[in-house]
Amino acid sequence: MSKFSKKSDKGLPAVSTASLPDIVFMLLFFFMVSTVMREVDLKVKMNQPSATEIKKLENKALVDYIYIGAPVDARKFGTTPRIQLNDAFATVDDIQPYIEQKRAERNEAEVPLITTALKVDKDTKMGIVTEVKQELRKVQALKLTYSTLERIERD
Amino acid sequence: MAIKKDPPEINASSMADIAFLLLVFFLVTTTMDTDFGLARRLPPPLPDEMEEPPEIKQRNVFVVLVNANDQLLVEGEIMDISQLKLAAKEFIANPYGKEELPEKELKEVPFFGNYEISKQVISLQNDNGTSYNMYIQVQNELARAYNELRNELAEEKFGKSYDMLVERDDEERVKAVRKIYPQRISEAEPKDIGGAQ
């Protein structure tokens, strides 16, 4: 037999998979560091407006979210815009306890730094938004952010 | 007698599976989106016994009204949102010292010496039926007017834009620029003319 046929007898050597766990762990750590836990399941439609003069929300641990928009499940809940706190629908009266509860969860020194982020759907009317703002004033939660998307302007 | 043997090697082939499982879990439960937004400060709640607020002269107030059909009325004139920024800029700075635009007051500002600061206030009032999108656009245009003026001023004085000063944490210069163009947007309680919802 020639030299060549001898070689083909052996078959391909198996590819070593010993480094596979390392690669996967690397990916895992990347995702653990660069992402945050999903806050809630959205029950309202969320099509945010866009703006240019915006700031990035710093320190997400100190941000409370209030969602306002028309319910996703329109057959069950209608199309009137609703407020969502945590994972459930709420009314304007629930906002004060919600803010108080969020304050109680945190360190006292951090309380003045808490920001409330309003995530409101584009098509919502201002009436409900103003009511929410008045409630926030009553509980002295004055740091507010209107959450928007980023719009790039070409000058 | 026991024979000295190397301990058997642990089979690590399932490590990859475990790591994959964890990876998938994190992919599903976390999000990467960064939040952006317009930062504002609400006025504190009004005390029960109100003192008479100081009188503000008509010429110092820039009245912006938005109705339930998302139309703008600025200083008594109908205006398109694209013109709002320019109008606001002219009002805030009052570069030619016009009679009907805000008064100016000489004040000592670090880096600038005595500087004429206008006593401008922007008053924003919307209807309960105004759409949130329109509200944000108006807020955005007003913020843009302030930011552009600040940028121009900082560029002229320090050779750097205001945004750059903020980025570099140059607090004293940022404060000086802010003192000349303080962002004063006052929101009146909304009216309910256009019918809410």
Side-chain angles (χ1 to χ4, degrees):
Chain A
M1 281 268 238
S2 66
K3 275 183 175 179
F4 300 104
S5 55
K6 222 185 206 170
K7 213 173 184 179
S8 65
D9 279 349
K10 273 188 188 166
L12 284 169
V15 178
S16 165
T17 54
S19 56
L20 190 62
D22 303 347
I23 296 165
V24 177
F25 267 117
M26 218 158 68
L27 274 173
L28 176 65
F29 287 137
F30 168 74
F31 277 99
M32 280 173 69
V33 170
S34 63
T35 60
V36 286
M37 278 286 173
R38 210 180 280 265
E39 311 115 29
V40 288
D41 279 332
L42 273 181
K43 290 190 168 173
V44 292
K45 280 181 198 150
M46 193 48 64
N47 186 5
Q48 289 178 7
S50 54
T52 57
E53 309 302 311
I54 50 180
K55 283 196 199 114
K56 204 174 156 192
L57 263 182
E58 305 286 351
N59 206 346
K60 281 201 172 171
L62 288 176
V63 179
D64 297 331
Y65 294 92
I66 295 177
Y67 304 86
I68 307 172
V72 174
D73 194 351
R75 269 181 42 228
K76 211 163 163 190
F77 301 110
T79 53
T80 322
R82 301 275 293 267
I83 301 167
Q84 184 189 346
L85 302 173
N86 291 328
D87 268 330
F89 287 123
T91 60
V92 179
D93 302 325
D94 296 329
I95 285 174
Q96 290 199 25
Y98 172 73
I99 297 288
E100 299 284 358
Q101 179 216 334
K102 288 280 174 184
R103 275 187 188 152
E105 281 170 15
R106 283 172 184 133
N107 204 325
E108 203 164 321
E110 291 171 341
V111 166
L113 302 173
I114 297 176
T115 311
T116 315
L118 283 184
K119 287 197 168 188
V120 185
D121 187 80
K122 256 186 189 180
D123 304 320
T124 315
K125 301 291 180 206
M126 277 308 286
I128 187 165
V129 180
T130 310
E131 275 176 50
V132 170
K133 272 160 71 182
Q134 296 298 350
E135 287 299 308
L136 289 176
R137 277 177 72 185
K138 279 184 208 157
V139 271
Q140 296 278 355
L142 302 179
K143 266 185 94 175
L144 182 73
T145 292
Y146 300 106
S147 195
T148 60
L149 301 175
E150 195 174 12
R151 185 173 67 206
I152 316 277
E153 296 262 309
R154 64 271 155 244
D155 295 290
Chain B
M1 210 182 104
I3 307 152
K4 265 217 164 164
K5 234 209 256 169
D6 283 337
E9 241 177 78
I10 296 167
N11 186 0
S13 60
S14 56
M15 178 105 107
D17 304 345
I18 297 166
F20 263 120
L21 218 70
L22 277 170
L23 179 64
V24 170
F25 170 75
F26 273 95
L27 277 176
V28 169
T29 56
T30 61
T31 51
M32 224 180 199
D33 60 272
T34 40
D35 269 328
F36 295 97
L38 292 168
R40 287 284 174 279
R41 224 184 151 76
L42 291 171
L46 297 173
D48 293 332
E49 286 161 45
M50 270 278 286
E51 285 174 44
E52 275 295 301
E55 199 69 24
I56 298 174
K57 281 189 193 156
Q58 189 67 43
R59 63 182 279 199
N60 293 343
V61 186
F62 187 69
V63 185
V64 181
L65 304 171
V66 194
N67 74 0
N69 299 324
D70 292 353
Q71 290 161 321
L72 271 181
L73 192 74
V74 179
E75 292 279 76
E77 277 172 56
I78 295 170
M79 193 179 271
D80 190 70
I81 183 122
S82 56
Q83 299 164 294
L84 178 63
K85 184 191 78 187
L86 272 182
K89 271 176 87 173
E90 205 199 341
F91 170 85
I92 296 162
N94 191 7
Y96 308 113
K98 279 189 192 164
E99 279 287 303
E100 69 273 15
L101 296 179
E103 297 171 90
K104 294 193 173 182
E105 195 181 17
L106 266 185
K107 261 191 194 161
E108 173 93 35
V109 184
F111 300 108
F112 291 89
N114 278 330
Y115 200 94
E116 286 193 318
I117 301 172
S118 82
K119 294 181 176 173
Q120 39 84 19
V121 177
I122 293 182
S123 159
L124 172 63
Q125 186 170 40
N126 56 272
D127 192 273
N128 273 337
T130 308
S131 80
Y132 182 70
N133 188 34
M134 187 63 186
Y135 175 78
I136 288 295
Q137 296 318 321
V138 171
Q139 285 269 16
N140 189 47
E141 289 303 308
L142 295 178
R144 213 156 106 187
Y146 278 109
N147 283 346
E148 282 188 11
L149 282 172
R150 286 172 176 177
N151 275 338
E152 284 163 19
L153 183 75
E155 197 85 51
E156 199 181 293
K157 184 77 184 170
F158 307 120
K160 281 180 221 147
S161 71
Y162 174 75
D163 295 333
M164 200 121 86
L165 292 179
V166 174
E167 233 165 78
R168 295 207 182 149
D169 277 330
D170 197 339
E171 252 174 60
E172 283 173 20
R173 294 205 165 102
V174 167
K175 260 191 191 158
V177 175
R178 270 198 199 166
K179 200 169 174 190
I180 290 176
Y181 292 127
Q183 184 167 320
R184 293 205 200 106
I185 302 177
S186 135
E187 284 181 58
E189 305 256 325
K191 289 209 169 110
D192 198 357
I193 298 167
Q197 310 303 326

